């Protein structure tokens, strides 16, 4: 099903699918303001303003991760019933309200933990259960490169969130200045409901933005799948080893990368860099990650996900040694983090 001859120009020929790309990019950027990159700046401000323990707050990310796993099962049921468009819209409106009323106004650790659980569940539920499957339906032969484009939002977030949040905090207290991200999430939820469609045909476009003639001659297998009824159940999936492999491998990759992302600035300041230099390094790392997102997505379309994942795992093993010595040299640490952001494009 993969088109091995896809050109770079053709990879950007997405037609009305750009609404889905724009939503995915901006949604990932906004989500990272509350659960990933943004914590480098937002969490110290919240912990100080609310009198919370920074380390305990940081640990709540682990709790949120486990809650998010359980919530995936619940969100998946809603997605199957109502479709990705409606569920994406609702999830992001909930995300925005949680960001404003719980995250920014957390008066105790319970409120903060609850905000992280809700935001992680909404963000991951949207990406993995809604926009991800929608991309497969809209672009069955461009899935790899489209996924690379849509996840650029994570890298843009890495590049701009730290300096942007630092700027905003210099203008007003965090409850006011950072509320712009809450408003953005609500606006994105409305945008998703108005512009997105679960099926490209509902938007007046054929999959991969091809012509009617090409669709009728080369996409028969796709039209046939509309009549397919899956016999997979939760019990059956839990007994399938491939399901566990598909879940555990990305899980460990995410665990390592997010451990770096959420503490990037704090770690490099500890290693001796100034705050401005650490924030600047994070921005450069994010820009490198943008190249990684699209580049690896394009390679994925060419050679397949399995080979691309093997390449990623080999790279992680090689660079794990560099990580082990990076605590001694700040420049080595920065170089390692730049490479991790390139890998982040591959992971998503």
């Amino acid at each position: 099903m993969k088109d091995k001859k896809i050109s770079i120009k053709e990879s950007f020929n997405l037609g009305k699918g750009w609404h889905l790309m724009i939503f995915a990019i901006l949604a990932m950027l906004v989500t990272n303001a509350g659960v990933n990159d943004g914590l480098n700046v937002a969490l110290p401000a919240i912990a100080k303003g609310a009198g919370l323990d920074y380390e305990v707050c940081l640990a709540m990310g682990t709790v949120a991760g486990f809650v998010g796993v359980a919530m995936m099962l619940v969100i998946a049921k809603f997605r199957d019933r109502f479709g990705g468009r409606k569920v994406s819209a609702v999830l992001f409106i909930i995300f925005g309200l949680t960001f404003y009323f719980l995250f920014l106004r957390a008066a105790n650790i319970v409120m903060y933990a609850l905000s992280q659980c809700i935001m992680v569940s909404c963000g991951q539920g949207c990406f993995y259960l809604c926009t991800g499957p929608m991309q497969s339906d809209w672009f069955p032969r461009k899935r790899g490169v489209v996924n690379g484009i849509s996840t650029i939002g994570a890298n843009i977030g890495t590049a701009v969130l730290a300096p942007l949040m630092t700027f905003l905090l210099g203008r007003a207290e965090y409850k006011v200045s950072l509320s712009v991200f809450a408003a953005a999430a609500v606006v994105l939820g409305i945008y998703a409901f108005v512009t997105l469609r679960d099926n490209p045909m509902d938007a007046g476009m054929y999959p991969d933005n091809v012509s009617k003639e090409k669709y009728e001659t080369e996409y028969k297998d796709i039209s046939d799948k509309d009549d397919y009824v899956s016999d997979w159940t939760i019990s059956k999936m839990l007994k399938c080893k491939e399901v566990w492999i598909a879940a555990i491998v990305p899980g460990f990759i995410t665990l390592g990368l997010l451990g770096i992302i959420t503490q990037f600035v704090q770690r490099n300041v500890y290693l001796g860099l100034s705050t401005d230099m650490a924030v600047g390094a994070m921005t450069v790392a994010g820009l490198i990650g943008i190249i990684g997102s699209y580049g690896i997505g394009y390679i994925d379309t060419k050679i397949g996900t399995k080979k691309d994942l093997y390449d990623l795992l080999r790279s992680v093993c090689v660079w794990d040694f560099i990580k082990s010595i990076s605590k001694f040299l700040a420049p080595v640490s920065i170089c390692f983090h730049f490479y991790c952001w390139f890998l982040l494009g591959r992971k998503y």
Side-chain angles (χ1 to χ4, degrees):
M1 194 63 193
K2 290 184 176 293
D3 187 351
K4 307 296 183 181
K5 298 181 179 180
I6 184 174
S7 65
I8 293 178
K9 180 180 179 180
E10 177 64 20
S11 70
F12 287 100
N13 181 24
L14 306 181
K16 294 181 180 180
W18 274 108
H19 284 300
L20 179 57
M21 294 298 98
I22 291 171
F23 171 74
I25 290 170
L26 295 180
M28 188 166 285
L29 189 157
V30 172
T31 297
N32 284 3
V35 302
N36 292 336
D37 310 88
L39 294 183
N40 282 278
V41 178
L43 182 52
I46 293 173
K48 181 179 179 180
L52 303 177
D53 186 291
Y54 172 82
E55 298 296 336
V56 175
C57 289
L58 195 62
M60 291 303 102
T62 301
V63 176
F66 283 110
V67 171
V69 171
M71 286 302 298
M72 292 301 98
L73 301 176
V74 177
I75 296 173
K77 290 294 184 180
F78 281 103
R79 195 270 178 190
D80 289 343
R81 181 173 181 180
F82 297 106
R85 166 184 166 245
K86 293 179 180 179
V87 174
S88 292
V90 171
L91 288 176
F92 258 81
I93 291 174
I94 293 174
F95 182 97
L97 296 175
T98 301
F99 195 104
Y100 186 82
F101 290 106
L102 287 178
F103 181 62
L104 294 180
R105 284 159 177 75
N108 52 63
I109 195 62
V110 175
M111 288 181 65
Y112 180 82
L114 182 59
S115 73
Q116 285 294 293
C117 291
I118 295 174
M119 291 193 296
V120 167
S121 298
C122 288
Q124 300 302 312
C126 179
F127 303 138
Y128 293 121
L129 301 177
C130 296
T131 59
M134 287 169 70
Q135 289 172 30
S136 295
D137 290 336
W138 276 69
F139 305 104
R141 294 188 178 181
K142 299 179 182 178
R143 280 176 293 186
V145 69
V146 164
N147 194 42
I149 294 173
S150 67
T151 54
I152 284 175
N155 307 113
I156 295 176
T158 300
V160 306
L161 283 175
L164 177 59
M165 284 183 159
T166 300
F167 171 80
L168 292 174
L169 288 172
R171 297 299 181 272
E173 69 161 344
Y174 69 89
K175 293 181 181 179
V176 176
S177 60
L178 299 185
S179 62
V180 63
F181 297 104
V186 174
V187 170
L188 280 172
I190 297 172
Y191 177 81
F193 185 80
V194 173
T195 65
L196 301 189
R197 296 295 182 269
D198 292 303
N199 190 303
M201 305 288 277
D202 296 335
M205 186 185 103
Y206 290 100
D208 288 322
N209 197 27
V210 299
S211 64
K212 179 181 178 180
E213 293 74 17
K214 186 172 183 178
Y215 174 76
E216 292 177 344
T217 57
E218 299 182 17
Y219 285 71
K220 186 179 185 302
D221 53 338
I222 295 178
S223 59
D224 290 343
K225 82 176 181 61
D226 294 336
D227 298 324
Y228 172 74
V229 178
S230 175
D231 61 350
W232 283 90
T233 63
I234 294 178
S235 175
K236 184 176 179 180
M237 287 190 292
L238 293 178
K239 296 177 182 178
C240 178
K241 66 178 182 179
E242 287 79 9
V243 170
W244 284 101
I245 293 173
I248 292 174
V249 172
F252 276 108
I253 294 174
T254 303
L255 182 67
L257 289 174
L258 295 189
I260 295 168
I261 294 170
T262 56
Q263 303 176 69
F264 185 92
V265 173
Q266 306 300 321
R267 172 180 171 79
N268 283 296
V269 168
Y270 172 78
L271 291 173
L273 297 182
S274 66
T275 300
D276 289 343
M277 185 176 291
V279 170
M282 190 170 184
T283 298
V284 175
L287 295 175
I288 292 175
I290 292 175
I291 301 173
S293 282
Y294 175 79
I296 301 304
Y298 186 79
I299 294 173
D300 178 274
T301 301
K302 289 285 189 179
I303 67 175
T305 303
K306 185 176 180 180
K307 292 180 180 179
D308 199 31
L309 181 59
Y310 284 158
D311 184 36
L312 167 60
L313 294 177
R314 286 195 298 268
S315 300
V316 170
C317 290
V318 171
W319 279 83
D320 188 58
F321 171 73
I322 295 179
K323 179 184 176 183
S324 69
I325 67 171
S326 66
K327 63 182 179 179
F328 299 109
L329 295 171
V332 175
S333 176
I334 292 175
C335 290
F336 169 70
H337 287 114
F338 286 169
Y339 187 76
C340 282
W341 257 260
F342 193 86
L343 294 184
L344 185 60
R346 300 179 176 204
K347 193 280 291 184
Y348 282 109

